[in-house]
Amino acid sequence: MSDDPRRRRAARHAQPAAQAPGAPARKRPITVERITDAALEVVAAEGYDALTIRRVAAVLGTGPSSLYTHIVDKDDLDDLLIGRLYGGVAVPAPDPDAWRGQLVGVYTQIRDLYLEFPGVSRAALAVVPTNLATLRVGEGILAILLAGGLDPRTAGWARDALSLYVGAYALEQSMVRQRRRHEDQEWVLGPEELLERFGALPAEQFPHTRRHAAELVSGTGHDRFAFALGLLLDGLRPAAD
């Protein structure tokens, strides 16, 4: 390489040499980023159940062995997926006067990211996070809980409970949406159908269910999500109380 700085700089900005006619096209190198992109593509199009190392390799036009150069196994891939999603979560600076609202805001973002990729919350439920992006969000949630006056153990356990609920909620919603795509899944009922069935139950056996059927099926899934988060947060009390 030339010792002339101007030539070295020019070389960095030079256009790549054109391939000779008939030469095979160079394949893009496999990277962790491309593997993660392909995995999310599979989940978005086919759901988390379709995600395998072999399926991701097929999207990338390579064999599974090429992926194992960059990832350890399926659990490692799950960790990468959740890390990528959590990289888009905005975590505010903890505010002792607004900590409950801040938690709702963070977990609502997580919920929406999970729902965008059907079933992907299973990856979060099954993996102990090591990805720095995932740990960043966990650290931010813990900081908000501590700012609310909770002792460290209560804050840690609350974070686990809240995260578990959000993951389970998103998983249920994803499962229902996927089942509704299949014509043979007639047992997946809408609110109106459920109300009709509850109203037709024998009154002597199901007096409360029949009488309060409208209340039992009321509200959207997100209404119930907010309600459940509120219940969990209302049960948290600052250490000084």
Side-chain angles (χ1 to χ4, degrees), residues 178-196:
Q178 286 184 301
R179 287 169 178 166
R180 282 178 175 163
R181 295 175 184 171
H182 301 286
E183 293 181 1
D184 60 341
Q185 296 290 348
E186 296 179 357
W187 61 271
V188 180
L189 304 177
E192 296 79 9
E193 295 171 298
L194 196 56
L195 179 61
E196 183 179 349

Side-chain angles (χ1 to χ4, degrees), residues 165 169 214-230:
Y165 171 70
Y169 170 84
E215 288 78 11
L216 295 178
V217 303
S218 64
T220 66
H222 285 2
D223 291 336
R224 292 170 177 245
F225 174 86
F227 173 78
L229 276 191

Side-chain angles (χ1 to χ4, degrees), residues 59-83:
V59 170
L60 293 171
T62 187
S65 59
S66 299
L67 272 62
Y68 287 119
T69 303
H70 303 276
I71 62 174
V72 179
D73 51 23
K74 176 62 162 47
D75 289 342
D76 192 21
L77 183 58
D78 286 344
D79 198 31
L80 288 170
L81 286 178
I82 300 304

